[in-house]
Amino acid sequence: MSMQDSGTRRAALSDTKRALLEARLRGAPPAAAVAPREGVPRGAGDGPEHAASFAQERMWFLSRFAPESPMYNVPAAFLVPADVDVPALERALTEVVRRHEALRTTYRMGDDGQLLQVVQPPAPVPVEVFDVRDRMGEPFAAHVHVLVGEEGARLFDLERGPMARVTLLRVSEADYAMVITTHHIATDGWSFPLLMRDLLVLYDAYHGGREVSLPELPLRYADYAVWQRGYLQGENLAKQVAYWRDLLDGAPALELPTDRPRPPVATNVGRAHSFRLDPELTQRVRDASKQQAATLNMVVLAAFAETMRRYSGQDDLVIGTLLGSRSRPELEPIVGMFVNSAALRLRLPAGATFRDAVNAAKRAVLDANQHQDLPFEKLVDELGVPRDLSRHPLFQVVYFHHAAVNTEGGGSTDARPALPLRPINAENIGEGVDTGVAKFDLQFATMDMWNELGGSFEYATDLFDHETILGMERAFRAVLSAALQNPDAPLDSLQIVSDDERRLILDEWGTGAAVAVPAEPLHRRVALQAAATPDAVALVSGCERLTYAELDAWANRIAGELRARGAGAGGIVGVYVDRDLSMVPAMLGILKTGAAYLPLDPVYPPERIAYMLGDSGAALLLADPALPPVESAGTEIVAVPARPASAGSIDPVSVDVAPHDRAYLIYTSGSTGRPKAVEVEHGTLSSMLAAVAHEPGMRVDDVTLAVTTISFDVSVPELFLPLVTGARVVIAGRDDVIDGVALGRMIAEH
């Protein structure tokens, strides 16, 4: 056999079998490749009732947590001819449900509080037929998607069953939409092709008036459930837990920028977006997988991980995946819920190439497959992960690849299959049925469709807009294409936008007139304005006013006090003041010392303020003594110096700063978990103010109303753009900000 043939056969192996092969090639004995591989004994699950598997137990409790949600429905849809043989289809469906016991298993709680699976006796399973032509319109595919989404979202009764249904929706004179829906408690991604294969072979025979005998299954699903609970004990359990504990030690959460803050309780409302890669790009993925002795999904995972690295700015990524957990060959033909969630940790340090990323993906996938027997929920319990209703534990972003479905019909040798299945449109081929739910923040799935690779994003609409996901798809395509073209180039050099987007940004959006950026930093520009218009009113708060000269003098007094306490270049000083005249001089005074300011809103919980001070390493805190005290271990508190009686009595303070020196820090809202500091440089601040001064512009006689907390970045142009142009700022007090009537009076007055 040639090396090429060997590579081809090797790339075609399942991930589990690859794990065994890789371990053997490394010289490891078989027992070291994966957990001990003793077979699952037949007959262990004889009888109608047994304890549910860990996966079934997980599905049961998740379904009970959200009983009105179709989150764990697994629908797929195809177009079939209107002359479909419904009796043959019903007979085939009935036989599939008889043959695969998980599809006719129901669930109940035992007297001891343990979930039991109850295998029901075989019974006819009807195919439901509905005529929905009166709801159809143009475009055809869009209306079909809505209808199949509604059908796929119909709830299952886990206590009554069955766990599979086939529905025919008459959508045109020529076609039905055939919707095959199962519940995840009975099936997984591996099961669906098995189910479809049997259904199409049986239909082919029954429609042709023939009998067919499918090979006897080696096990019942109940055999596996009984074996699993006996196996995951003692040393076997300890080894599995030890691996995952070590892998996830110190792992960061993958924090993607979202369009909205994370709600305190996830609604799991979602949307699906499907797409395809063209045959040429798909073939390049196949070629790359052979060249690197990897599977196709490892190459795609590497490109997806790089896309997530660009979006998050993190080099250490934890991405979830779904594993078949069919580590024993006798489990491969069984329809049932074997799938297990697992974490893949990929580190992509500076200088890493795409070839490095594929190797990292390969190691992560193979190692996960070697340790896939530990159920995810048991891992979460063993690790003591705190439960958070706003997010999935351990990871919020998931990638997985699943097998293709043969849509060419059953086992007939005729030129035309008995039941030809057709995609609803070019983007959908039995996948991407949108039931309006999302199990994770973001789930990216791929499907090998022979000459093309299909993909879909399922995303939480609480967090992401559709346009954001479309941009993510474009970024993934761009990264994948660039990486395959030059796999040895550093990842940072890969283009993440398409050529068309690049032309749009540079040639169309980038053709406006250049805006001159002043060389002086913000605090010096305010001082220059004070020298030019010393008596002009700069700030108004209630009945009090502050001229430009008084503003600059107060900032100098504050700067002098802070310099005496050690504030200087490279340092960070917290600002803890109320919304009054002292707010702006405090920030300018910190900038005059060369330090960066850290705004702390007094309405924040004390724990958050303490965290921000500790996390930033702020040595000093400029605070209003009238506000509630702050817990500030390691931070010296400095009371805001009083306003000078005379503007001319204070010596100016101004430390040189460079454009790349830090000006201020803004902490995120914490919507992705622990708040993170965003550092803004003096050069960036000057550029932003110059751009906004140009468009929409600011004049010396303008008056602006400042309503935004200084802990939010909008406050920066709101406060400082007027002050570098000689205009006036009216500061709304804390009570006024939330009172529309009071704000209206202020606008009218000023």
Side-chain angles (χ1 to χ4, degrees):
M1 182 171 59
S2 69
M3 289 295 290
Q4 183 175 2
D5 290 339
S6 175
T8 301
R9 294 182 62 184
R10 186 174 176 181
L13 293 174
S14 69
D15 290 333
T16 299
K17 291 178 180 177
R18 285 186 70 74
L20 287 165
L21 177 59
E22 294 280 340
R24 293 303 300 272
L25 292 177
R26 292 196 302 265
V34 288
R37 294 294 131 197
E38 68 269 16
V40 178
R42 184 181 178 91
D46 285 350
E49 288 191 355
H50 293 282
S53 70
F54 291 115
Q56 289 173 324
E57 196 172 64
R58 183 169 80 250
M59 285 296 105
W60 168 271
F61 284 111
L62 289 172
S63 297
R64 283 296 178 268
F65 181 75
E68 301 303 317
S69 172
M71 187 185 314
Y72 293 100
N73 284 18
V74 185
F78 308 90
L79 292 180
V80 298
D83 62 356
V84 58
D85 184 345
V86 176
L89 185 59
E90 286 185 324
R91 187 179 172 194
L93 176 61
T94 296
E95 175 59 18
V96 167
V97 174
R98 183 208 64 79
R99 173 175 166 79
H100 296 287
E101 290 185 354
L103 301 177
R104 53 184 171 92
T105 296
T106 59
Y107 303 87
R108 71 175 185 87
M109 296 301 298
D111 295 337
D112 59 355
Q114 185 173 46
L115 180 67
L116 298 177
Q117 54 173 314
V118 184
V119 180
Q120 301 296 333
V125 183
V127 171
E128 297 180 288
V129 182
F130 301 100
D131 193 329
V132 294
R133 282 174 287 182
D134 61 332
R135 296 183 58 190
M136 291 300 298
E138 295 297 334
F140 176 80
H143 282 77
V144 175
H145 274 298
V146 171
L147 293 169
V148 300
E150 292 175 1
E151 167 56 28
R154 275 203 297 139
L155 300 178
F156 285 91
D157 187 337
L158 303 189
E159 294 181 291
R160 296 174 63 117
M163 300 301 150
R165 63 173 178 257
V166 174
T167 306
L168 294 174
L169 303 176
R170 187 69 176 270
V171 293
S172 71
E173 291 299 315
D175 293 307
Y176 280 105
M178 184 171 75
V179 187
I180 301 123
T181 313
T182 59
H183 194 280
H184 208 351
I185 201 168
T187 59
D188 54 18
W190 183 287
S191 296
F192 185 70
L194 300 176
L195 185 157
M196 287 299 296
R197 179 200 63 195
D198 287 357
L199 184 69
L200 294 174
V201 168
L202 290 165
Y203 176 88
D204 204 22
Y206 298 153
H207 176 69
R210 302 185 308 275
E211 295 299 320
V212 63
S213 179
L214 298 178
E216 182 183 1
L217 295 174
L219 294 169
R220 306 170 67 201
Y221 183 84
D223 293 335
Y224 162 75
V226 172
W227 166 85
Q228 182 194 47
R229 288 192 173 271
Y231 172 73
L232 277 177
Q233 298 180 23
E235 185 179 356
N236 289 335
L237 176 62
K239 287 180 178 179
Q240 293 273 333
V241 171
Y243 167 77
W244 291 108
R245 191 186 301 278
D246 181 63
L247 176 75
L248 297 173
D249 183 38
L254 177 51
E255 298 182 352
L256 296 177
T258 60
D259 296 307
R260 282 168 293 283
R262 181 184 299 277
V265 177
T267 67
N268 297 117
V269 176
R271 186 175 175 185
H273 165 66
S274 300
F275 64 94
R276 285 191 183 190
L277 301 182
D278 60 70
E280 187 273 334
L281 184 55
T282 300
Q283 186 57 48
R284 288 167 57 195
V285 175
R286 296 190 199 283
D287 293 341
S289 67
K290 293 175 184 177
Q291 291 165 6
Q292 288 202 236
T295 56
L296 178 146
N297 65 302
M298 293 171 183
V299 175
V300 175
L301 170 60
F304 178 64
E306 171 57 14
T307 307
M308 294 296 96
R309 187 181 76 91
R310 296 293 191 91
Y311 269 76
S312 66
Q314 299 173 222
D315 293 336
D316 189 354
L317 306 172
V318 176
I319 297 174
T321 194
L322 304 179
L323 300 175
S325 289
R326 297 170 187 258
S327 53
R328 291 150 181 82
E330 62 269 26
L331 300 177
E332 293 184 0
I334 309 298
V335 167
M337 175 51 170
F338 295 91
V339 72
N340 191 21
S341 300
L344 305 175
R345 189 171 185 179
L346 288 82
R347 296 176 175 87
L348 304 176
T353 66
F354 186 67
R355 196 177 301 277
D356 297 329
V358 173
N359 287 332
K362 181 163 64 172
R363 287 193 300 271
V365 170
L366 293 175
D367 287 348
N369 273 280
Q370 291 175 27
H371 300 86
Q372 64 178 289
D373 285 325
L374 183 66
F376 180 77
E377 286 298 315
K378 199 164 187 65
L379 170 63
V380 171
D381 291 340
E382 291 286 342
L383 296 183
V385 178
R387 297 296 178 160
D388 183 346
L389 295 179
S390 71
R391 70 187 65 234
H392 187 272
L394 296 183
F395 49 79
Q396 294 80 47
V397 176
V398 170
Y399 166 70
F400 68 93
H401 179 81
H402 46 79
V405 177
N406 179 4
T407 61
E408 296 304 318
S412 173
T413 58
D414 300 334
R416 181 183 184 275
L419 184 61
L421 307 179
R422 308 193 322 274
I424 292 170
N425 61 18
E427 286 72 39
N428 179 287
I429 189 164
E431 293 299 322
V433 174
D434 193 346
T435 57
V437 298
K439 304 176 189 68
F440 305 94
D441 292 0
L442 181 70
Q443 177 177 285
F444 177 48
T446 54
M447 180 178 183
D448 190 353
M449 300 188 302
W450 306 288
N451 66 332
E452 292 181 323
L453 189 67
S456 67
F457 285 96
E458 182 184 276
Y459 59 96
T461 51
D462 285 340
L463 303 177
F464 300 107
D465 291 331
H466 186 60
E467 287 299 320
T468 300
I469 300 302
L470 293 179
M472 198 174 290
E473 180 209 327
R474 292 193 296 268
F476 166 74
R477 287 177 182 270
V479 166
L480 180 63
S481 181
L484 294 176
Q485 188 171 353
N486 192 355
D488 293 311
L491 291 174
D492 287 331
S493 70
L494 300 180
Q495 184 171 301
I496 197 170
V497 296
S498 67
D499 290 338
D500 288 342
E501 288 178 307
R502 186 177 179 85
R503 281 191 294 270
L504 175 66
I505 294 169
L506 297 180
D507 299 339
E508 296 185 32
W509 294 351
T511 56
V515 177
V517 179
E520 299 290 343
L522 168 63
H523 54 282
R524 285 191 181 168
R525 292 182 65 192
V526 175
L528 291 172
Q529 188 62 47
T533 58
D535 298 325
V537 176
L539 298 175
V540 177
S541 177
C543 298
E544 296 184 286
R545 296 186 171 211
L546 206 63
T547 67
Y548 272 88
E550 292 169 331
L551 167 63
D552 190 50
W554 198 352
N556 282 325
R557 166 169 280 184
I558 292 170
E561 179 69 21
L562 292 174
R563 291 282 291 173
R565 303 291 187 99
I572 297 172
V573 179
V575 183
Y576 180 68
V577 295
D578 212 338
R579 295 188 61 80
D580 55 28
L581 284 184
S582 70
M583 185 170 69
V584 176
M587 292 186 285
L588 289 173
I590 294 170
L591 293 177
K592 282 175 176 281
T593 70
Y597 73 83
L598 168 64
L600 302 166
D601 194 323
V603 303
Y604 280 167
E607 296 81 7
R608 179 183 172 99
I609 293 174
Y611 168 78
M612 293 164 68
L613 286 170
D615 182 67
S616 66
L620 300 173
L621 173 63
L622 190 60
D624 182 346
L627 292 174
V630 171
E631 294 292 334
S632 56
T635 303
E636 181 183 352
I637 298 178
V638 181
V640 178
R643 174 180 175 178
S646 170
S649 63
I650 304 298
D651 293 333
V653 177
S654 185
V655 174
D656 289 336
V657 293
H660 291 299
D661 287 341
R662 187 169 49 195
Y664 64 91
L665 290 77
I666 293 283
Y667 270 78
T668 65
S669 64
S671 61
T672 57
R674 182 173 293 178
K676 292 176 63 178
V678 177
E679 299 181 345
V680 179
E681 300 172 346
H682 278 280
T684 304
L685 174 57
S686 295
S687 296
M688 183 270 291
L689 291 176
V692 181
H694 175 74
E695 182 72 36
M698 180 68 65
R699 300 177 306 185
V700 68
D701 57 347
D702 282 335
V703 181
T704 67
L705 181 62
V707 297
T708 308
T709 170
I710 60 172
S711 291
F712 190 46
D713 52 3
V714 174
S715 67
V716 177
E718 194 175 76
L719 291 170
F720 294 126
L721 178 60
L723 297 180
V724 297
T725 54
R728 182 181 305 182
V729 179
V730 177
I731 300 173
R734 193 168 304 283
D735 293 335
D736 295 330
V737 166
I738 59 175
D739 186 339
V741 175
L743 285 176
R745 285 197 298 265
M746 295 179 71
I747 292 171
E749 179 183 354
H750 295 284

